[in-house]
Amino acid sequence: MTIFRAARPRVLLTALAAGTLLLTAACNDTAPTAQDKATGTGGTTAPAATSPAATPTPKPKGEADPALKAFYGQQITWTDCPADPKAAQAKIDTSGMQCGKLHVPLDYTAPAADAIDLALIKYGAADHGKRIGSLMVNPGGPGASGVEMVKYGAKDFEGALHDRFDVIGFDPRGTGDSSPVSCYDDKQLDEANQTDTPDDPAQRKAAHVKQSTDHAAACQAKSGKLLPFVGTRNTARDLDVLRAVVGDRKLNYLGISYGTYLGALYAEEFPQNTGRLILDGAVDPAEDTLDHGIDQQVGFEKSFERFAADCVENHAAECPLGKDKTKAAKKAADFLDGLHDNPLTTKDGRKLGRDMAWTGVISLLYGDETTSWQYLRNSLGWAMMRDKGDYLMAFADDYNGRDQNGHYSPMDEANTAISCADAARPAPTPEHAKQAVDRLLAEAPLLSKGATVDDYTEPGCAYWPFKTQEKPHTIRAEGAAPILVVGTTGDPATPYASAEQLAKGFAKATLLTRVGEGHGAFGKGNTCIDQAMAAYLTDGTMPADGTRCS
């Protein structure tokens, strides 16, 4: 199964308190740019003018910038993709796919300095006679691989989309095979993932400070040159270079989860270049980042409760959660929390503790109520009834980007780096912190057990070596083509209200609703959704405003 990620699932406290669970950011035009802060070129005060100043000529950007001519004028060399044992094992046919590289500036304010290469994959249009152009895709994260989205999820594009488009995935800067951020080795990541968050608030705070400080130092040591430039605004600029280089006059794009933020920023940066954009599993770029994290916690709690009730009501023969649907979720949560003191040993000798077990559960709540909930019932059954934690561990590993050989993808490291480049949450007021904890304890008591106000008093990315100037704000994208926003009513990772707010913020947008469970609507097998998306992308037909697909 494919999991499109919104954020890391260490649901108990750590990521939300640190501010790296969060997805949204935007630019503060009154402050030096992120690149200026990194290179020391911004932030100076202009001398006072003695006479009215002439209106400055706006600096050209994108294709109009002479300094970027070489990047926009490059040609991609497409070749057969290298052998992939993982694809072969899964019996995925990659013979119709080609791989390539895109050359982009590390720093768009100094494009003649350093450059990096982005990994690409192309699944060429099946019906060349009716080919429209390219469809760029991003699966979310931040940190997930667009190359893997196309390679391992090719079946989701079969039909009208693959017939009419070259489906192109790319690994955003700092991720996958695109100059990935690197901080820890596999052994260190295993140790970090298997260490439960302390129950004692003072010990938890001390552990968080040490972990955050050590992690920031490791990232600076190995990837310090890259960190200021991995933000989503730079990735949007990369996306425009890619659009032009493949020969598309307008960008056609499908972004899921965090990919909706990338698409929204693209529409803000390059409104004149937007074609048909679908933003599915939407992030609200204007929402306070602490509040967004709380919304996610509450969303996963509600999804977990619905799963547990469904387990008892409709799958009693295989449900390990008892016969009372009102107590089922707590029974599962008590078991998972108990693994802190009594971890399960898996076949490879690792210990499944509380946090890894919850990670496995949360990862399956990203999926739908049929296949993913069945996996979750089975995984909990094996753990609760047979003391075997291998299935929960496997889903946690998959979510954390760990393969069967114990090697981690750069996804986790990239997630933190991109999140901190996109937004650094300011320290909340004492009143805001108390409101957040009160809401958690009232609406998500199972996932927020033990939370205290002190867990949320410091700013996000407090120990990160790079300080961003990006801020949350409403994205209007004036002048952009109409945008299709898709939301799912039971989405735990990007709650439905975020889709409503994103669509409302755009100058021109339509909201399409999927009624159901899981994160995102694309690839969930909903015929109504699939047809509406295909109709918009292939011939520009928007669904009627207010359309709901059950």
Side-chain angles (χ1 to χ4, degrees), residues 209-396:
V209 171
K210 184 178 189 309
Q211 290 166 1
S212 299
T213 303
D214 291 349
H215 185 238
C219 294
Q220 176 66 18
K222 288 188 175 183
S223 300
K225 183 178 179 180
L226 187 63
L227 299 182
F229 306 109
V230 296
T232 303
R233 197 168 295 276
N234 278 329
T235 298
R237 293 164 180 155
D238 296 339
L239 189 54
D240 195 60
V241 174
L242 179 58
R243 171 202 60 77
V245 169
V246 299
D248 289 346
R249 190 173 63 88
K250 302 288 186 179
L251 176 74
N252 297 313
Y253 174 80
L254 169 63
I256 299 170
S257 191
Y258 156 82
T260 67
Y261 178 58
L262 172 58
L265 267 192
Y266 182 90
E268 181 178 62
E269 285 277 307
F270 305 100
Q272 73 283 2
N273 294 341
T274 55
R276 297 164 187 168
L277 274 60
I278 295 181
L279 308 183
D280 174 23
V283 171
D284 176 9
E287 187 177 24
D288 176 88
T289 51
L290 175 57
D291 292 338
H292 174 72
I294 301 299
D295 287 345
Q296 279 195 323
Q297 293 279 80
V298 172
F300 278 114
E301 177 105 2
K302 301 307 179 188
S303 181
F304 187 56
E305 290 173 348
R306 291 192 295 270
F307 155 77
D310 176 77
C311 182
V312 172
E313 282 187 311
N314 301 316
H315 306 278
E318 59 188 64
C319 181
L321 306 183
K323 297 181 179 180
D324 187 342
K325 69 176 183 179
T326 66
K327 298 178 180 179
K330 188 176 186 305
K331 180 174 181 178
D334 288 345
F335 170 79
L336 295 168
D337 289 341
L339 296 177
H340 178 65
D341 295 321
N342 299 287
L344 299 178
T345 302
T346 59
K347 288 182 179 180
D348 62 6
R350 288 184 294 156
K351 299 290 186 180
L352 179 75
R354 177 193 61 202
D355 288 5
M356 281 289 279
W358 270 113
T359 298
V361 169
I362 294 299
S363 73
L364 288 167
L365 293 177
Y366 275 82
D368 61 21
E369 59 267 49
T370 52
T371 305
S372 292
W373 282 14
Q374 180 184 2
Y375 290 154
L376 183 50
R377 287 193 302 273
N378 293 343
S379 297
L380 284 172
W382 276 79
M384 296 175 72
M385 308 301 292
R386 306 187 187 189
D387 291 333
K388 295 185 181 296
D390 297 273
Y391 289 118
L392 284 176
M393 182 72 86
F395 286 113

Side-chain angles (χ1 to χ4, degrees), residues 403-429:
D403 66 21
Q404 294 178 346
N405 298 318
H407 176 64
Y408 284 84
S409 77
M411 183 177 57
D412 263 349
E413 311 285 28
N415 181 275
T416 300
I418 296 170
S419 295
C420 287
D422 276 356
R425 169 172 56 81
T429 65

